[in-house]
Amino acid sequence: MGREIREEHFGAADFDRFHQALADETARLLDWLRTQAAADPAPPPRLGFEIEAWLCDAQGRPLPVNEAFLAAMDSPLATRELAQFNVELNSSVFRAGPGCFGGILEELRETLRQARRAARHAGADLLMAGSLPTLEPADLGLHHMSRQARYRALNSAILEQRAQRPLEVDIVGHEHLRHRHADVMLEAAATSFQVHIETRPDRAHRAYNASLVAAAPVLAAAGNTPYIFGHDLWAESRIPLFEQSVEVGGFANSARGPIRRVTFGTGYLHDSIGELFTENLEHFPVLLPVALDEPADQLAHLAFHNGTIWRWNRPIVGCDADGHRSLRLEFRCLPAGPSLIDMLANTAFALGLIEHLVAESPDGTLETPFSEARDNFYNAARHGLDARLRWGHREPAPAPRLITRDLLPRAAEGLERLDIERSERDALLGIIAARVASRQTGARWQRDWVARHGRDWPGLVRAYRGWQNTGAPVHTWGL
């Protein structure tokens, strides 16, 4: 869904044409996957990042000026998002190995410095957070949608799939939020930090499984979105909000029922990452049957359709102009913020744990049943470090104890396998350890600030922004 489109309205013939091309390209991908031999020794994976951010006024309210921001930024690493008060900051591609995290941090700091300067030029401040505490439902109207055809078309397609019924949010957390919304702009309330991890065809299915298992403990330590529309909900309220803001479903199937387009997944993979693309073809109706001109070998229809299915761990097939293909996993469950160093620490924890699981388990799961991985994920999103998580067939354990005693050492082993320097590894995982020991995630800091100062949402944004601009990890922030 990152590419612009020409059409906004489609007929039955468009859907038939697109689906036929999708079926052909899915078969091509499956054939390619079957012919790829295992690489030994395997090169270290490449990494990339996306940070979704807010443009705010002096009172911390959303400011719809992303066109002015992008003009001032004038960088290929910055692009618009669904709402005019959101932008996306991207990274270059980095190879995992000695010094990589230092290089990543240096580039992201420079990108953020340029972005803050561009935001000031547009009369705004830049904020990285899972959602904006000052955001109100009225801000999320079509009058604030970014002016691109793909967003208008997506809104029309989702509402058509829902027979024009409003989207409904019903989240029970510390408080209860019920809200009906007329359009897909509700999705813009949730902003993420997305980590792209390259993987090889012969082990991509195991890496996907491992990412499902790893997601819960990483998310438990990373929660940063307690407030939506003034309601205190989950430690990471983006998870239920986004799942409900694009609630369309898939084809009804007597064995599995409709599949949500935003989903943790339907199960582990057995033999190939291609199983997910077969699921895309068979269980998810085409939303936007756009006309794409690329040759079939470039898999443009397959990639575009995959972009309208928002798994929390999503496989992505890349194809360059020369026809060379690559695979990566998009680890989508993490929130933006609280600081750059926090986000890189979360990355190191996830990357190391996934690598450990793939290396130590034939299927990447370390005997954790899928139902446990799924339940862990939602428990972590809801309760953060107060969650109790299962690992393997053991009894549930408090997340801090499991992370500190068991999972951080495993993540360290995984990073060592990737030749991450000990100093970088220990510094980043040390931030996770200190955050867990203090119990001060971004979500906890926000709740503690509100407990002391009251529900002063502009004041919360100003305090959060002030601490974020120092670059200090969240476990060191004061109230």
Side-chain angles (χ1 to χ4, degrees):
M1 279 301 297
R3 65 184 291 169
E4 183 56 309
I5 62 176
R6 297 186 297 270
E7 316 95 317
E8 296 183 44
H9 306 287
F10 308 99
D14 297 312
F15 284 93
D16 290 342
R17 170 192 47 76
F18 190 101
H19 196 271
Q20 183 176 354
L22 178 62
D24 173 63
E25 292 177 11
T26 301
R28 289 172 183 264
L29 175 66
L30 297 180
D31 286 342
W32 176 73
L33 289 170
R34 281 191 288 267
T35 64
Q36 298 308 295
D40 190 21
R46 293 178 294 177
L47 308 173
F49 307 90
E50 303 172 39
I51 305 172
E52 297 170 352
W54 296 85
L55 297 170
C56 309
D57 64 17
Q59 297 302 310
R61 294 271 298 130
L63 193 64
V65 293
N66 64 3
E67 292 294 341
F69 166 86
L70 291 170
M73 183 81 174
D74 190 24
S75 169
L77 296 179
T79 186
R80 60 184 55 77
E81 272 288 330
L82 173 62
Q84 294 175 11
F85 39 72
N86 292 138
V87 294
E88 180 181 285
L89 305 176
N90 295 282
S91 78
S92 303
V93 177
F94 293 85
R95 179 74 69 179
C100 72
F101 279 104
I104 294 167
L105 182 58
E106 182 179 0
E107 181 187 270
L108 289 179
R109 279 176 172 165
E110 177 59 22
T111 300
L112 186 57
R113 185 188 67 79
Q114 294 176 19
R116 286 172 172 157
R117 184 174 61 192
R120 289 193 296 271
H121 190 275
D125 286 310
L126 190 84
L127 194 78
M128 300 176 294
S131 191
L132 193 64
T134 56
L135 185 71
E136 299 175 1
D139 298 319
L140 298 173
L142 296 181
H143 61 297
H144 283 156
M145 177 180 281
S146 290
R147 297 182 181 92
Q148 286 195 296
R150 73 175 186 264
Y151 294 133
R152 296 190 298 270
L154 179 65
N155 182 65
S156 297
I158 287 176
L159 291 179
E160 184 175 343
Q161 291 277 329
R162 295 180 57 82
Q164 306 303 317
R165 290 178 291 108
L167 293 151
E168 298 193 10
V169 172
D170 191 343
I171 306 173
V172 178
H174 287 198
E175 297 170 352
H176 189 183
L177 171 64
R178 298 191 68 178
H179 172 68
R180 303 184 81 196
H181 208 81
D183 51 63
V184 77
M185 281 292 289
L186 189 60
E187 176 189 333
T191 39
S192 304
F193 171 60
Q194 295 160 19
V195 182
H196 293 248
I197 305 171
E198 185 181 41
T199 185
R200 303 195 321 263
D202 61 293
R203 68 178 232 161
H205 62 293
R206 295 160 56 209
Y208 172 79
N209 293 346
S211 72
L212 297 181
V213 176
V218 176
L219 189 61
N224 193 38
T225 318
Y227 297 112
I228 302 290
F229 301 153
H231 290 69
D232 186 351
L233 301 171
W234 292 18
E236 196 40 60
S237 305
R238 287 173 40 262
I239 302 301
L241 177 69
F242 191 42
E243 290 191 348
Q244 296 176 32
S245 68
V246 195
E247 178 51 83
V248 178
F251 291 126
N253 178 286
S254 60
R256 299 195 300 196
I259 305 174
R260 287 184 167 187
R261 294 192 91 95
V262 185
T263 176
F264 180 72
T266 56
Y268 291 137
L269 302 182
H270 301 289
D271 301 305
S272 169
I273 197 73
E275 294 161 32
L276 287 178
F277 291 94
T278 299
E279 184 176 87
N280 288 358
L281 174 68
E282 295 178 350
H283 293 280
F284 290 96
V286 172
L287 279 184
L288 298 175
V290 296
L292 301 174
D293 300 328
E294 290 89 339
D297 280 345
Q298 293 193 12
L299 310 182
H301 297 81
L302 178 142
F304 192 89
H305 182 58
N306 187 54
T308 67
I309 301 163
W310 295 272
R311 294 179 181 90
W312 291 115
N313 294 278
R314 179 164 64 180
I316 295 179
V317 179
C319 190
D320 63 22
D322 295 327
H324 298 130
R325 293 175 185 160
S326 62
L327 284 171
R328 65 185 187 271
L329 295 177
E330 185 182 22
F331 197 77
R332 299 175 46 82
C333 65
L334 296 175
S339 70
L340 279 181
I341 197 65
D342 282 310
M343 291 187 283
L344 285 190
N346 297 338
T347 299
F349 188 20
L351 179 65
L353 197 51
I354 291 169
E355 183 66 23
H356 171 82
L357 287 166
V358 171
E360 297 296 327
S361 177
D363 62 357
T365 72
L366 214 63
E367 298 185 349
T368 300
F370 176 78
S371 60
E372 287 186 8
R374 181 190 57 216
D375 292 348
N376 280 347
F377 178 77
Y378 290 104
N379 284 335
R382 182 165 188 168
H383 301 293
L385 288 175
D386 291 328
R388 295 178 65 86
L389 306 178
R390 299 178 69 95
W391 191 261
H393 293 289
R394 293 184 243 166
E395 290 300 309
R401 187 174 73 196
L402 178 66
I403 291 170
T404 301
R405 296 183 183 180
D406 196 350
L407 303 188
L408 283 176
R410 293 174 186 261
E413 292 175 7
L415 293 176
E416 186 174 0
R417 289 179 179 273
L418 296 174
D419 291 328
I420 304 300
E421 291 178 350
R422 180 183 294 271
S423 59
E424 289 191 344
R425 180 197 72 186
D426 292 349
L428 293 170
L429 295 185
I431 288 172
I432 301 294
R435 192 192 304 158
V436 170
S438 68
R439 302 290 184 95
Q440 185 159 292
T441 61
R444 173 51 57 197
W445 181 87
Q446 292 180 57
R447 283 171 168 159
D448 288 348
W449 192 96
V450 168
R452 175 171 294 189
H453 301 282
R455 297 195 171 204
D456 173 10
W457 305 123
L460 173 59
V461 172
R462 286 194 298 270
Y464 181 100
R465 183 174 59 216
W467 279 106
Q468 183 174 92
N469 289 348
T470 70
V474 72
H475 71 272
T476 67
W477 292 11
L479 298 175

